[in-house]
Amino acid sequence: SLLPLFIEGEVVKGFGRGSKDLGCPTANFSLEVVQSLPKGLAPGVYYGWAQVDSEAVHKMVANVGWCPFYQNKEMSVETHVMHKFDKDFYGSNLKICIVGYLRPEKNFSSLNDLIEAIKKDIADAHTKLEEMEAKILKDHKFFNQKN
Ligand code: ADP
Ligand code: MG
């Protein structure tokens, strides 16, 4: 299996498609980082752990692939950190540990359906990350290495 999968890189500007307006900002990795990922990684929504610079490790949900709702042309890895930050962190180092798979990408017929799906993903991630096999990865040495 490809999981758990550890990814690290600088947070870059995304597509400016208003994730923040949906109440769900998603931090993007550069195309270079995304293209270095294992080819077999299935598109979809994943849950795991995230760390901005050397701060605390938080729960996250990440979308991997081409977002059909927005007819994305490029592959992307977009991480929503389940934590309220005081300010944006473009240019920071982001580390994520992808722990498990939640669901495939879907097309949504309305913005409201998309928002409801995101809420469910976040709730599901909360639950799954309470499991012991997930919790031990929060303390993985990957998150202790200084940059
Ligand atoms: P973009 O299109 O540039 O990715 P978004 O609307 O998706 O814009 O917002 C993402 C940015 O919001 C991140 O790069 C980060 O700087 C900031 N941000 C603030 N809080 C969070 C959070 N909880 N999770 C992810 N990004 C966040
Ligand atoms: Mg984004």
mmCIF file of all heavy atoms in Angstrom, residues 1 8 11 14 16 29 32 34 43 57 67-68 73 93 97 100 113 117:
data_model
loop_
_atom_site.group_PDB
_atom_site.id
_atom_site.type_symbol
_atom_site.label_atom_id
_atom_site.label_comp_id
_atom_site.label_asym_id
_atom_site.label_seq_id
_atom_site.Cartn_x
_atom_site.Cartn_y
_atom_site.Cartn_z
ATOM 1 N N SER A 1 0.837 -1.213 0.000
ATOM 2 C CA SER A 1 0.000 0.000 0.000
ATOM 3 C C SER A 1 0.867 1.257 0.000
ATOM 4 O O SER A 1 1.985 1.234 0.485
ATOM 5 C CB SER A 1 -0.911 -0.012 1.223
ATOM 6 O OG SER A 1 -1.419 1.277 1.480
ATOM 7 N N GLU A 8 5.937 16.755 1.821
ATOM 8 C CA GLU A 8 6.414 18.019 2.393
ATOM 9 C C GLU A 8 6.728 19.006 1.283
ATOM 10 O O GLU A 8 7.266 18.633 0.240
ATOM 11 C CB GLU A 8 7.681 17.750 3.206
ATOM 12 C CG GLU A 8 8.355 19.003 3.723
ATOM 13 C CD GLU A 8 9.519 18.690 4.654
ATOM 14 O OE1 GLU A 8 9.952 17.523 4.730
ATOM 15 O OE2 GLU A 8 9.989 19.637 5.301
ATOM 16 N N VAL A 11 3.930 25.986 0.700
ATOM 17 C CA VAL A 11 2.536 26.309 0.376
ATOM 18 C C VAL A 11 2.525 27.404 -0.689
ATOM 19 O O VAL A 11 3.100 28.472 -0.493
ATOM 20 C CB VAL A 11 1.769 26.784 1.629
ATOM 21 C CG1 VAL A 11 0.347 27.214 1.262
ATOM 22 C CG2 VAL A 11 1.746 25.681 2.684
ATOM 23 N N GLY A 14 -3.055 28.773 -4.797
ATOM 24 C CA GLY A 14 -3.863 27.808 -5.530
ATOM 25 C C GLY A 14 -4.532 28.463 -6.721
ATOM 26 O O GLY A 14 -3.980 29.372 -7.330
ATOM 27 N N GLY A 16 -7.299 30.084 -6.675
ATOM 28 C CA GLY A 16 -8.114 31.235 -6.315
ATOM 29 C C GLY A 16 -9.577 31.009 -6.621
ATOM 30 O O GLY A 16 -10.285 31.906 -7.059
ATOM 31 N N PHE A 29 0.203 22.482 -2.619
ATOM 32 C CA PHE A 29 1.614 22.227 -2.896
ATOM 33 C C PHE A 29 1.910 22.629 -4.336
ATOM 34 O O PHE A 29 1.009 22.672 -5.182
ATOM 35 C CB PHE A 29 1.941 20.735 -2.739
ATOM 36 C CG PHE A 29 1.986 20.250 -1.321
ATOM 37 C CD1 PHE A 29 1.070 19.333 -0.843
ATOM 38 C CD2 PHE A 29 2.990 20.702 -0.455
ATOM 39 C CE1 PHE A 29 1.124 18.867 0.469
ATOM 40 C CE2 PHE A 29 3.047 20.238 0.854
ATOM 41 C CZ PHE A 29 2.116 19.324 1.306
ATOM 42 N N GLU A 32 5.526 20.741 -8.789
ATOM 43 C CA GLU A 32 6.744 19.926 -8.667
ATOM 44 C C GLU A 32 6.579 18.855 -7.581
ATOM 45 O O GLU A 32 6.925 17.687 -7.795
ATOM 46 C CB GLU A 32 7.914 20.860 -8.346
ATOM 47 C CG GLU A 32 9.268 20.209 -8.381
ATOM 48 C CD GLU A 32 10.364 21.143 -7.850
ATOM 49 O OE1 GLU A 32 10.091 22.344 -7.613
ATOM 50 O OE2 GLU A 32 11.486 20.660 -7.666
ATOM 51 N N VAL A 34 3.695 17.744 -6.362
ATOM 52 C CA VAL A 34 2.604 16.849 -6.767
ATOM 53 C C VAL A 34 3.089 15.824 -7.783
ATOM 54 O O VAL A 34 2.738 14.642 -7.721
ATOM 55 C CB VAL A 34 1.426 17.670 -7.336
ATOM 56 C CG1 VAL A 34 0.361 16.751 -7.923
ATOM 57 C CG2 VAL A 34 0.825 18.551 -6.261
ATOM 58 N N PRO A 43 -6.991 9.295 -7.104
ATOM 59 C CA PRO A 43 -7.638 10.571 -6.819
ATOM 60 C C PRO A 43 -8.751 10.377 -5.801
ATOM 61 O O PRO A 43 -9.368 9.313 -5.742
ATOM 62 C CB PRO A 43 -8.231 10.994 -8.168
ATOM 63 C CG PRO A 43 -7.537 10.180 -9.194
ATOM 64 C CD PRO A 43 -7.137 8.909 -8.520
ATOM 65 N N VAL A 57 0.843 19.690 15.320
ATOM 66 C CA VAL A 57 0.294 18.791 14.301
ATOM 67 C C VAL A 57 -1.228 18.750 14.471
ATOM 68 O O VAL A 57 -1.735 18.539 15.569
ATOM 69 C CB VAL A 57 0.900 17.376 14.434
ATOM 70 C CG1 VAL A 57 0.306 16.426 13.400
ATOM 71 C CG2 VAL A 57 2.428 17.442 14.291
ATOM 72 N N CYS A 67 -10.188 18.244 -9.526
ATOM 73 C CA CYS A 67 -11.488 18.509 -8.923
ATOM 74 C C CYS A 67 -12.533 18.664 -10.032
ATOM 75 O O CYS A 67 -12.542 19.655 -10.748
ATOM 76 C CB CYS A 67 -11.441 19.764 -8.062
ATOM 77 S SG CYS A 67 -13.008 20.087 -7.276
ATOM 78 N N PRO A 68 -13.433 17.689 -10.178
ATOM 79 C CA PRO A 68 -14.374 17.731 -11.303
ATOM 80 C C PRO A 68 -15.328 18.920 -11.243
ATOM 81 O O PRO A 68 -15.730 19.433 -12.282
ATOM 82 C CB PRO A 68 -15.147 16.412 -11.195
ATOM 83 C CG PRO A 68 -14.726 15.747 -9.964
ATOM 84 C CD PRO A 68 -13.628 16.519 -9.327
ATOM 85 N N LYS A 73 -7.616 21.436 -14.715
ATOM 86 C CA LYS A 73 -6.763 20.900 -15.768
ATOM 87 C C LYS A 73 -5.546 20.205 -15.170
ATOM 88 O O LYS A 73 -5.036 19.238 -15.716
ATOM 89 C CB LYS A 73 -6.311 22.018 -16.714
ATOM 90 C CG LYS A 73 -7.451 22.711 -17.434
ATOM 91 C CD LYS A 73 -8.154 21.800 -18.440
ATOM 92 C CE LYS A 73 -9.134 22.559 -19.306
ATOM 93 N NZ LYS A 73 -10.337 22.936 -18.509
ATOM 94 N N ASN A 93 6.404 26.068 5.158
ATOM 95 C CA ASN A 93 6.608 24.656 4.869
ATOM 96 C C ASN A 93 5.411 23.882 5.427
ATOM 97 O O ASN A 93 5.027 24.063 6.574
ATOM 98 C CB ASN A 93 7.902 24.170 5.524
ATOM 99 C CG ASN A 93 8.288 22.779 5.059
ATOM 100 O OD1 ASN A 93 8.648 22.585 3.897
ATOM 101 N ND2 ASN A 93 8.194 21.807 5.937
ATOM 102 N N CYS A 97 0.871 13.931 6.529
ATOM 103 C CA CYS A 97 0.894 12.472 6.518
ATOM 104 C C CYS A 97 -0.501 12.023 6.094
ATOM 105 O O CYS A 97 -1.476 12.266 6.818
ATOM 106 C CB CYS A 97 1.230 11.934 7.912
ATOM 107 S SG CYS A 97 1.015 10.137 8.034
ATOM 108 N N GLY A 100 -5.348 7.744 5.451
ATOM 109 C CA GLY A 100 -6.369 6.859 4.878
ATOM 110 C C GLY A 100 -7.244 7.572 3.865
ATOM 111 O O GLY A 100 -7.225 8.804 3.737
ATOM 112 N N ASP A 113 -24.482 21.079 -2.365
ATOM 113 C CA ASP A 113 -24.111 19.670 -2.224
ATOM 114 C C ASP A 113 -22.614 19.533 -1.948
ATOM 115 O O ASP A 113 -22.192 18.679 -1.160
ATOM 116 C CB ASP A 113 -24.457 18.887 -3.504
ATOM 117 C CG ASP A 113 -25.956 18.696 -3.661
ATOM 118 O OD1 ASP A 113 -26.708 19.058 -2.743
ATOM 119 O OD2 ASP A 113 -26.373 18.173 -4.725
ATOM 120 N N ALA A 117 -20.883 17.930 1.388
ATOM 121 C CA ALA A 117 -19.906 16.834 1.289
ATOM 122 C C ALA A 117 -18.633 17.174 2.056
ATOM 123 O O ALA A 117 -18.064 16.317 2.743
ATOM 124 C CB ALA A 117 -19.593 16.549 -0.171
#
